[in-house]
Amino acid sequence: PNLGIVAIFVALAFGLYWTSLTDSFILDDKIVITENIYTQKGIAGWWDHLTSDSFQGFFKGEQKNLLTGGRYRPLSLLVFSVLYEFFGDSTLPYHLVNVFLYGLTAGLLFFLLQILGHQLMRKESSIWLSMPFLAALLFLFHPIHIEAVANIKGLDEILTFLFAICSWFLALRLYNRPHLLGSAALSLLFFAGLLAKENAITFLAVIPLSLYVFGQPKRKQLLYILTPLLLSTVAYLLIRYQVLGFFLDPGVEITDILNNPFRGLNTEEHLGTVLYTWLKYLGLLIFPHPLVHDYYPYAIPISTFSDAAVWISLALHLALLTWGLWAGLAKKR
């Protein structure tokens, strides 16, 4: 990647989020920093973070299993421990890290989209009007990302996408030049993304699908790319199980409606509300207003299949899936 272009995205990120640099600790920052006994040990708390549920430090060393599936997201906590070691309760360094990494992510996203779109620019072409550049700018400026950047705790989201993009970028490089060292690096990058937040696991499907849609991978290429992705995923899941003691079910009923918003709902209400929420996600991507930092129980109304919005959501997502499959298959012809 061209470091000059990456620097432009980083500078734009600081221009966009400079007012957040003076913000205080808020919201969930107390869970991961100000009231987390492991983070406040500094670097000495690393082993505690690596061997505990991510909320355990907040609960003074007790694993309470308040959330379905548990939480094992130590990477951002390790970063917070380092920052606390050197800067304590000064919030500026934490915000600088968030904004810098967000800008870096947008810059790397540009190069990834450029490769995927086969738009490696000719000398007479302008990157500033290319679709990859405009898409990366849209990502950078989209208001839906404000909380992840301005709220210090949101570093886990930034790190997850950053390492997922790096893994994807390296996988595309390995597509042309497969080698063991690159595969090892891919494994480490993807593992880091998983340590940041569990939803990096979705790229276990996204990356291979992109190889299929945009190329014609052979067995050797797939071996050098899929093997490290699978090994990282298995390693993460095993470590997560060893730390938490379960995969998804902690063996206790989550009765707090703040942590289990679907408590008391039947299957139709559960599924209908999920589909309605998906529709709200699509709407906010197109028109991001109003935005809130947290959806408390019933802020999104309970929905069933008697609600038109649920059917609209289902139809839209099926249409998007159909279009994606058709476009991918059409490209292969």
Side-chain angles (χ1 to χ4, degrees), residues 135-207:
L137 276 183
L138 176 61
F139 169 84
L140 183 73
F141 281 91
H142 204 297
I144 208 166
H145 298 144
I146 289 174
E147 182 183 349
V149 184
N151 181 199
I152 293 169
K153 185 268 175 190
L155 179 63
D156 56 354
E157 300 282 2
I158 298 172
L159 289 174
T160 301
F161 195 45
L162 174 60
F163 281 108
I165 287 179
C166 290
S167 301
W168 199 349
F169 190 88
L170 183 54
L172 293 174
R173 293 292 188 186
L174 288 172
Y175 176 84
N176 294 317
R177 292 184 59 193
H179 54 91
L180 287 175
L181 185 59
S183 292
L186 174 59
S187 183
L188 291 174
L189 287 171
F190 194 62
F191 185 68
L194 291 167
L195 287 180
K197 196 171 182 180
E198 301 92 337
N199 56 9
I201 202 170
T202 57
F203 285 84
L204 186 60
V206 171
I207 293 174

Side-chain angles (χ1 to χ4, degrees), residues 188-234:
L188 291 174
L189 287 171
F190 194 62
F191 185 68
L194 291 167
L195 287 180
K197 196 171 182 180
E198 301 92 337
N199 56 9
I201 202 170
T202 57
F203 285 84
L204 186 60
V206 171
I207 293 174
L209 281 173
S210 73
L211 297 176
Y212 172 76
V213 171
F214 294 98
Q216 295 180 329
K218 298 178 181 178
R219 183 177 298 179
K220 181 180 179 181
Q221 293 168 315
L222 290 175
L223 180 67
Y224 277 81
I225 294 171
L226 290 182
T227 301
L229 293 177
L230 288 170
L231 288 176
S232 294
T233 302
V234 171

Side-chain angles (χ1 to χ4, degrees), residues 49-220:
H49 283 315
L50 289 169
T51 57
S52 307
D53 182 288
S54 293
F55 284 3
Q56 193 164 315
F58 174 68
F59 290 114
K60 312 308 178 188
E62 181 181 355
Q63 183 174 333
K64 293 200 172 186
N65 297 327
L66 295 180
L67 297 171
T68 302
R71 295 293 182 270
Y72 184 63
R73 305 167 181 174
L75 187 59
S76 60
L77 299 176
L78 300 183
V79 176
F80 295 147
S81 290
V82 173
L83 292 173
Y84 197 88
E85 176 85 22
F86 293 101
F87 304 105
D89 290 328
S90 174
T91 58
L92 177 60
Y94 298 85
H95 284 297
L96 288 174
V97 169
N98 272 30
V99 177
F100 171 77
L101 292 180
Y102 181 63
L104 177 63
T105 300
L108 293 177
L109 178 63
F110 161 66
F111 291 104
L112 174 66
L113 294 175
Q114 196 178 50
I115 293 174
L116 288 174
H118 301 286
Q119 294 194 29
L120 298 172
M121 307 306 294
R122 298 186 297 270
K123 290 183 180 179
E124 66 271 23
S125 301
S126 171
I127 65 168
W128 315 115
L129 297 178
S130 68
M131 287 303 296
F133 188 79
L134 294 176
L137 276 183
L138 176 61
F139 169 84
L140 183 73
F141 281 91
H142 204 297
I144 208 166
H145 298 144
I146 289 174
E147 182 183 349
V149 184
N151 181 199
I152 293 169
K153 185 268 175 190
L155 179 63
D156 56 354
E157 300 282 2
I158 298 172
L159 289 174
T160 301
F161 195 45
L162 174 60
F163 281 108
I165 287 179
C166 290
S167 301
W168 199 349
F169 190 88
L170 183 54
L172 293 174
R173 293 292 188 186
L174 288 172
Y175 176 84
N176 294 317
R177 292 184 59 193
H179 54 91
L180 287 175
L181 185 59
S183 292
L186 174 59
S187 183
L188 291 174
L189 287 171
F190 194 62
F191 185 68
L194 291 167
L195 287 180
K197 196 171 182 180
E198 301 92 337
N199 56 9
I201 202 170
T202 57
F203 285 84
L204 186 60
V206 171
I207 293 174
L209 281 173
S210 73
L211 297 176
Y212 172 76
V213 171
F214 294 98
Q216 295 180 329
K218 298 178 181 178
R219 183 177 298 179
K220 181 180 179 181

Side-chain angles (χ1 to χ4, degrees), residues 262 265-278 303-305 310 314:
F262 296 111
L265 304 188
N266 60 39
T267 302
E268 182 189 2
E269 291 170 334
H270 188 155
L271 183 57
T273 305
V274 168
L275 286 169
Y276 178 69
T277 304
W278 288 2
S303 303
T304 67
F305 283 91
V310 173
L314 182 61

Side-chain angles (χ1 to χ4, degrees), residues 260-310:
N260 182 14
F262 296 111
R263 175 172 168 75
L265 304 188
N266 60 39
T267 302
E268 182 189 2
E269 291 170 334
H270 188 155
L271 183 57
T273 305
V274 168
L275 286 169
Y276 178 69
T277 304
W278 288 2
L279 184 64
K280 285 190 67 70
Y281 286 160
L282 287 177
L284 290 173
L285 284 174
I286 298 169
F287 186 71
H289 179 79
L291 293 173
V292 298
H293 71 80
D294 198 0
Y295 286 98
Y296 286 93
Y298 309 130
I300 295 178
I302 304 301
S303 303
T304 67
F305 283 91
S306 63
D307 301 313
V310 173

